[in-house]
Amino acid sequence: MQNNQTLQQNLAQPLESQLREMYGRLAYTHKTHLKMADALIDRYTLVKRVEIGLSALSSGTLVVAAFGDSKWGTLFGAVLSTILLGLILYVKEESMGEYAQRHTETASKLWGLRERMLSLLTDLRAGADVETIRTARDDVNSQLEAIYKAAPRTDGKSYAAAQNALKNAEELYFSEKELDHLLPPALRTSQSTPADVEKS
């Protein structure tokens, strides 16, 4: 019995190391896709606001041209209309909203697998059968391959934002006090109250 337990532990160590590595990569990739989606949505919102502003200005200059200085008003309105047309074509070509949605969908799929990896690590530490964990790991790898093949590309800026969020802001985890604040009193691990959490 002791030999079997030792064998399981020996097999579990390299597997746990691999699962931890996979979990880390998943956490980063998931967060990078979220940051990419956020950046695209911000850019899309900015472009739409500029588009509305240019549209209002060009319409205003044409009204001024009709009732006042037609030469300069028409010229200015034509320049603004040209810029507006270029912006509209750029937005149509870029499809920022569609790309943002694809990044969000990819992140959602990755989130599910990231949580599954966390469960596998927990199960392995709790003494689950190594072969069962290996089978589940292989299944996660197959799903990841399919997701990565269909996933839109990310950029260095989004990766840097994800790195900052995970390493410095610790967006992935809660402190014990924060968890106690979210859980009902019966499930709290410390004697801290919600008021104590808000003060800290």
Side-chain angles (χ1 to χ4, degrees), residues 29-175:
T29 307
H30 167 256
K31 187 59 77 174
T32 301
H33 278 284
L34 283 180
K35 293 297 180 185
M36 190 79 187
D38 290 345
L40 285 166
I41 289 166
D42 289 345
R43 196 184 314 162
Y44 181 76
T45 303
L46 176 65
V47 168
K48 280 295 177 187
R49 285 180 181 161
V50 170
E51 203 177 287
I52 290 166
L54 283 173
S55 182
L57 278 172
S58 63
S59 298
T61 54
L62 292 175
V63 170
V64 169
F67 295 104
D69 184 359
S70 62
K71 182 181 175 188
W72 291 107
T74 304
L75 184 63
F76 192 56
V79 169
L80 287 175
S81 294
T82 304
I83 294 169
L84 180 60
L85 177 62
L87 192 62
I88 289 168
L89 291 173
Y90 167 75
V91 170
K92 187 177 180 183
E93 185 69 27
E94 284 293 303
S95 304
M96 285 179 268
E98 183 186 319
Y99 282 138
Q101 182 61 35
R102 286 182 61 204
H103 282 290
T104 303
E105 287 169 3
T106 299
S108 182
K109 291 172 187 172
L110 291 172
W111 177 85
L113 291 179
R114 188 196 76 194
E115 293 304 302
R116 188 170 176 197
M117 290 302 303
L118 187 59
S119 296
L120 290 177
L121 279 164
T122 305
D123 292 346
L124 189 64
R125 280 278 178 102
D129 178 59
V130 170
E131 281 308 312
T132 304
I133 300 293
R134 279 183 177 157
T135 302
R137 174 208 58 195
D138 292 344
D139 181 51
V140 169
N141 268 329
S142 297
Q143 289 183 58
L144 277 173
E145 186 181 355
I147 291 169
Y148 288 151
K149 278 181 181 175
R153 290 178 64 86
T154 56
D155 59 21
K157 193 174 178 183
S158 297
Y159 181 82
Q163 189 174 40
N164 181 58
L166 293 173
K167 286 175 90 171
N168 302 326
E170 295 186 4
E171 287 185 11
L172 194 58
Y173 303 106
F174 298 97
S175 69

